[in-house]
Amino acid sequence: MTTVTEALSGKTHGDENFPVASWLLNDQNRGPILAFYRFARAADDVADHPTLPPDRKLVLLDGLDAALRGRGAPLPEAEPLRLALSERDLKPTHALDLLDAFRLDVRKNRYADWAELMDYCRLSAAPVGRFVLDVHGEDQTTWPASDALCAALQVNNHLQDCALDYRRLDRVYLPLDVLAAHRASVEMLGAPRAAPALRGAIAEIARRTSELIDRGEKLIPEIKDVRLAVEIAAIQALARRLARDLESRDPLSERVQFGKAGFALIGGLGALRFLASALVRSVRARPKASA
C-alpha cells in the first residue's frame, strides 16, 4: 500500500453519530465543511489502518500536510480543502492540528489521565468545531464552548470503539488512572463482555463526557447563524443521549449507536426544542404595543 487513497476505509460523513454538513446548513457552507471532513477522514483512515507500518503512516500524513499547503503533489483527499481554504481566505491551521492528532495516534497508544486525553482532544476534536465556526464567520469567543462539545463527541466515539481500538490497534483512549481506580485493566477490553470493574470505568468516563456537553450548552446562544445553531442543537441532543446510553450499556458486547430512526428522532427533537425556545425568546423580546 503506497497511497492515501489505497488506505481509505470507505466510511463517509453519513456514518457519523452526529450531522456533518447536513441540509440544515446553508449550501454555500456545506462544500468547505465536506471538504474538511473528507480530508480528516482520509488522515484518520491512514492513522487507523491495521496493517500499514507506522513509518509509512507518517509519510502519508506528511504528504497530506504538504499537499494542503500547496508544497507537494496535489492529492485528491487534500486538493478540495486547499481550494476551499483559498476561496474563503482561511488558513489551514485547523486541518494541520488534526494531522498532528493523527501523527500522535501513530506514536501513542495509552493515555495516563483525563487531562492527557483532553490535550489529545484539543488536536483531534476542537479543530473540527473551530473550522465550522470559521466557515460561518462566527466569533472566536465561541471556541471554548465548541471545544467542550467536540471533545464530548470524541470521547463518546472512544467509548463506542474502545474494544475495537484495543483489538485492532492496541490503542486505548480510556484514561489509565480511571481504569485503575475501578480496579479494571486494559486487558479487559479484549473480553466479549465488559467485567463489572470495566463497566464502572466506562460509566465514569461517560459521566465526565456529559459534563463536557453541559459546558457546551453555552455555545448555541453565542451563534449568530440560526441554521448552524439548529444543527448544533441536534448534535448536542444526540451527544447527550449517547453519553447516557454509554453510561448504562456495554460497548464490548453490543454496538451502542443510533439507528437511522433514532438518529432522526433524537436530533430532530433537539432541533425543535431549540427552535421553540428561540421563538419564545423572540416573542418576549418584542416591544409591547402601547395602550
Side-chain angles (χ1 to χ4, degrees):
M1 184 175 297
T2 59
T3 69
V4 173
T5 302
E6 291 172 329
L8 296 181
S9 66
K11 186 176 180 180
T12 72
H13 66 284
D15 298 312
E16 300 294 343
N17 287 317
F18 51 90
V20 177
S22 76
W23 57 268
L24 292 169
L25 302 183
N26 288 320
D27 288 342
Q28 64 181 0
N29 293 328
R30 294 184 73 245
I33 293 170
L34 286 173
F36 187 91
Y37 176 84
R38 290 168 186 146
F39 178 85
R41 168 49 49 203
D44 196 7
D45 286 345
V46 168
D48 287 354
H49 198 280
T51 61
L52 205 58
D55 288 349
R56 185 58 189 164
K57 290 182 179 183
L58 294 174
V59 168
L60 293 179
L61 292 173
D62 288 346
L64 284 168
D65 186 310
L68 185 63
R69 297 175 192 259
R71 297 176 181 173
L75 295 177
E77 295 79 17
E79 189 66 6
L81 179 57
R82 190 188 69 79
L83 293 174
L85 292 172
S86 177
E87 290 169 1
R88 295 294 185 101
D89 195 26
L90 295 173
K91 296 180 180 180
T93 306
H94 304 314
L96 297 177
D97 284 344
L98 277 183
L99 287 179
D100 283 341
F102 296 131
R103 290 184 181 105
L104 194 61
D105 279 336
V106 176
R107 299 185 176 108
K108 183 179 178 69
N109 60 6
R110 299 290 187 273
Y111 289 82
D113 52 32
W114 184 257
E116 198 170 274
L117 182 60
M118 290 300 99
D119 283 341
Y120 170 74
C121 287
R122 274 188 276 276
L123 293 174
S124 67
V128 179
R130 293 182 180 190
F131 179 80
V132 172
L133 292 169
D134 283 359
V135 166
H136 284 81
E138 299 290 342
D139 195 272
Q140 290 186 10
T141 57
T142 59
W143 285 8
S146 174
D147 291 352
L149 178 59
C150 290
L153 296 171
Q154 180 77 84
V155 178
N156 272 346
N157 184 256
H158 290 330
L159 291 175
Q160 286 178 294
D161 293 340
C162 61
L164 184 63
D165 286 339
Y166 174 68
R167 293 165 185 164
R168 292 178 69 242
L169 301 165
D170 188 33
R171 191 183 298 158
V172 179
Y173 294 102
L174 310 189
L176 298 181
D177 66 338
V178 176
L179 291 176
H182 288 268
R183 300 181 182 277
S185 67
V186 164
E187 290 73 24
M188 289 180 178
L189 291 166
R193 188 176 300 275
L198 182 57
R199 286 286 298 274
I202 291 171
E204 179 180 335
I205 296 167
R207 285 192 292 272
R208 293 191 188 187
T209 305
S210 293
E211 293 170 1
L212 288 172
I213 299 169
D214 290 341
R215 287 165 49 192
E217 291 284 354
K218 299 176 183 178
L219 177 59
I220 292 179
E222 298 175 346
I223 298 297
K224 297 174 184 176
D225 188 295
V226 175
R227 296 179 69 163
L228 176 60
V230 173
E231 178 160 290
I232 293 172
I235 290 171
Q236 284 182 335
L238 289 161
R240 190 173 294 283
R241 174 59 182 272
L242 184 55
R244 192 162 62 243
D245 286 353
L246 286 162
E247 187 175 343
S248 60
R249 294 168 61 183
D250 176 11
L252 271 66
S253 62
E254 60 176 319
R255 183 63 177 161
V256 183
Q257 64 180 14
F258 305 118
K260 290 184 178 180
F263 183 94
L265 178 62
I266 297 165
L269 287 174
L272 287 173
R273 280 194 295 270
F274 162 73
L275 289 171
S277 64
L279 179 61
V280 169
R281 288 195 300 272
S282 176
V283 170
R284 289 176 177 173
R286 291 175 186 170
K288 294 181 180 179
S290 57

